[in-house]
Amino acid sequence: MTWSKSTPLHFSVLFFTGISIALSSCTSSEQSKVEASQALESIIPKPSSVKATGNFFSLNKNSTIYIESASDELARIGKYLGDRLAPATGFEFPVSTSAMNPVDGSIYLSTSGDLSLGDEGYELIISEDNIKLSAHRPAGLFRGIQTIRQLLPAKIEMTSKQEGPWKIATAMIRDISRYAHRGAMLDVARHFFSVNDVKRFIDLISYYKMNVIHLGLTNDQGWRIEIKSWPNLATHGGSTQVGGGKGGFYTQDQYTDIVKYAQSRYIMLIPEIDMPGHSNAALASYGDLNGGTIVPEEGRVKIAPSTQKELNGKSKPTELYTGIEVGFSTLRVEKKVTFKFINDVIHELAAITPGPYIHIGGDESHATRKEDYITFVKKFHDIVKANGKKMIGWEEIAQGEINSDDVTQFWTKPAYGEMALAKGSKLIMSPSKKTYMDMQYDSTTHLGLHWAGYIEVDSAYIWDPENYVSGGSQENILGVEAPLWTETISTMDDIEYMIFPRLPGYAEIGWSSESGRNWEEYKVRLANQAPRWKAMNIDYYKSKLVPWKE
């Protein structure tokens, strides 16, 4: 066609508009294929094996989620998947039980996977026609679903309808976890966080196949769990937080709700009651527990006389504490009421905690005499065991009479880790210089502390759990856990900023083989997560070490 001044303007506009739409459509289609291939290469944690087959699968309005049997648990997993995919696609994703092969565009969930997959492994076969996800246990299906989510375009995480296409690169994926324990710890004692905040934290860690949330429920600054036999613990001990703001606590019903939510994501909740130190919130709630205190004064630790007089036959409660000093409080081993208190607390907590563990803290108990501390550890072990649970404690418990029934959480001193292994205890690896997510990224970070050092995203990734304690191995290391202490953290945005982008790296260290990991390759996969975090409304630190994809 020859153009001239006599060509009608509206025709020219329509012609070029048509060409633009056609080019845009072509570009969009090609772009979707590029993104699908890139997603296959960007999965975190890195799968055990991935074999691309060079084609593409697409979700469509008729896509159905099939489960192999009329199982309530599989139906719940299928609904979970449908609920993740429906908002952005606008498709319904009904869940159906069928012995037949699924129709084109559908997803088939099966627990007929072989024994070698273990409790959390899965196999994912993506063809042009359908997706078949199989596992040996339902937890494996849930982990595989997180991979499906990462294989779809990032906009799948949006909560409003988006334009397709919804392509996934065809492939065969087999994936098995390295460690049984892959967790994150959230301190809700120094600053209190709502039930909804804790649930969002659970969702964020589950996205990267973590399977443990360790909830720090008590500390000097607050007691966050209702204990019906000792009600002042929550109502008084939980009334404040760091900085003096309003605190809060979870009723036992709310705690149970959190536990069930975690279970729906195949995440075990481990509650921590920190003893015998970090106990000021309890001492402030009940004077009977007190008997001479160590109080922080003007930034220093000052020891008050141990011969403190008792008032009317009872020790005077301490003041509520809103600072961030540590090591000044202790329970009293010589008081009979101490062990009634401990047993009552553990008994009520064990009754509403389905998991096998109760964490008793045990760290930084500087105000406790060593001989008393050793007695406490033995008593903790016996009380936890009597209530049908196993004891976890921070590394200092290795000084006491622990054994193979107990788990020791390493955080700073290799000697304690070695001592724990010698006594038959397994280790959870949480080296503070690598995994403490409250540590600042660098000197300009506006949140966090740096007593353990600055932890940039590369440093958070470049370490191996078996290299920190002499004798540490796959057999005696239970797993990896990244703690977030909250002295400076008070909002959900603060939480997200401090855990992202480090959290996915901890998840990969816990899940993926060490031999397949290297920083230069990982940082590219991490960079490709950025659009997903934007779609999920995650506030994250944009490290200059990562070539972020916008």
Side-chain angles (χ1 to χ4, degrees), residues 85 106 121 203 307 318 359 416 434 476 524:
L85 306 183
S106 294
D203 280 335
T307 57
T318 63
H359 201 303
Y416 284 147
K434 290 292 187 178
N476 56 31
V524 176

Side-chain angles (χ1 to χ4, degrees), residues 423-442:
K423 295 179 179 182
S425 175
K426 286 195 173 184
L427 299 180
I428 296 170
M429 301 304 294
S430 301
S432 56
K433 293 182 179 180
K434 290 292 187 178
T435 68
Y436 273 33
M437 296 187 290
D438 55 305
M439 293 298 105
Q440 294 170 303
Y441 295 98
D442 60 28

Side-chain angles (χ1 to χ4, degrees), residues 200-501:
R200 177 160 172 82
F201 188 84
I202 289 169
D203 280 335
L204 294 176
I205 68 174
S206 72
Y207 188 71
Y208 291 101
K209 302 184 178 71
M210 284 185 163
N211 64 356
V212 173
I213 178 172
H214 168 183
L215 209 56
L217 291 169
T218 72
N219 217 290
D220 290 311
Q221 299 86 350
W223 186 284
R224 306 303 182 199
I225 181 67
E226 175 191 24
I227 302 298
K228 293 181 179 180
S229 57
W230 297 73
N232 281 0
L233 292 170
T235 57
H236 183 66
S239 63
T240 191
Q241 59 185 359
V242 167
K246 182 181 178 181
F249 66 91
Y250 309 117
T251 66
Q252 292 193 10
D253 286 344
Q254 288 174 321
Y255 175 83
T256 298
D257 181 42
I258 292 171
V259 168
K260 289 181 177 178
Y261 191 85
Q263 286 179 312
S264 74
R265 272 67 177 156
Y266 293 88
I267 287 179
M268 175 176 61
L269 190 150
I270 298 175
E272 178 180 342
I273 304 296
D274 205 346
M275 304 177 287
H278 289 289
S279 53
N280 190 74
L283 303 179
S285 301
Y286 288 96
D288 285 356
L289 297 174
N290 193 25
T293 60
I294 296 178
V295 295
E297 183 176 289
E298 297 178 357
R300 296 177 291 109
V301 172
K302 179 181 178 181
I303 301 179
S306 60
T307 57
Q308 179 187 29
K309 292 181 179 179
E310 296 190 3
L311 303 176
N312 299 322
K314 294 184 177 181
S315 299
K316 181 181 178 181
T318 63
E319 297 294 325
L320 291 169
Y321 182 60
T322 60
I324 63 171
E325 296 287 338
V326 300
F328 61 87
S329 60
T330 186
L331 295 172
R332 310 296 297 190
V333 75
E334 69 273 13
K335 289 198 163 192
K336 290 183 179 180
V337 69
T338 295
F339 296 103
K340 173 176 170 46
F341 161 75
I342 294 170
N343 185 69
D344 288 346
V345 170
I346 298 301
H347 180 72
E348 289 193 35
L349 192 56
I352 55 176
T353 301
Y357 300 111
I358 298 290
H359 201 303
I360 56 80
D363 62 316
E364 298 177 320
S365 196
H366 306 316
T368 311
R369 292 180 301 180
K370 184 172 182 179
E371 58 267 36
D372 291 349
Y373 183 85
I374 292 171
T375 299
F376 270 121
V377 172
K378 179 65 167 66
K379 291 283 190 179
F380 293 155
H381 169 93
D382 292 344
I383 291 172
V384 170
K385 184 176 181 179
N387 283 278
K389 303 295 181 182
K390 294 183 177 182
M391 180 180 76
I392 301 178
W394 294 100
E395 63 186 32
E396 290 92 327
I397 68 167
Q399 301 169 90
E401 295 181 32
I402 62 173
N403 57 40
S404 59
D405 288 336
D406 305 311
V407 177
T408 303
Q409 189 160 3
F410 169 82
W411 66 282
T412 186
K413 293 184 178 180
Y416 284 147
E418 292 166 15
M419 194 182 300
L421 291 179
K423 295 179 179 182
S425 175
K426 286 195 173 184
L427 299 180
I428 296 170
M429 301 304 294
S430 301
S432 56
K433 293 182 179 180
K434 290 292 187 178
T435 68
Y436 273 33
M437 296 187 290
D438 55 305
M439 293 298 105
Q440 294 170 303
Y441 295 98
D442 60 28
S443 61
T444 68
T445 310
H446 67 284
L447 296 168
L449 304 171
H450 57 267
W451 59 263
Y454 299 112
I455 305 178
E456 248 290 4
V457 63
D458 59 341
S459 179
Y461 183 77
I462 304 171
W463 67 281
D464 187 69
E466 295 176 19
N467 294 337
Y468 263 78
V469 173
S470 178
S473 67
Q474 184 82 30
E475 289 70 34
N476 56 31
I477 292 176
L478 190 62
V480 177
E481 189 174 289
L484 180 68
W485 306 101
T486 60
E487 287 95 335
T488 69
I489 312 301
S490 60
T491 69
M492 193 67 219
D493 279 347
D494 292 347
I495 289 175
E496 292 171 4
Y497 186 82
M498 296 305 286
I499 71 175
F500 284 97

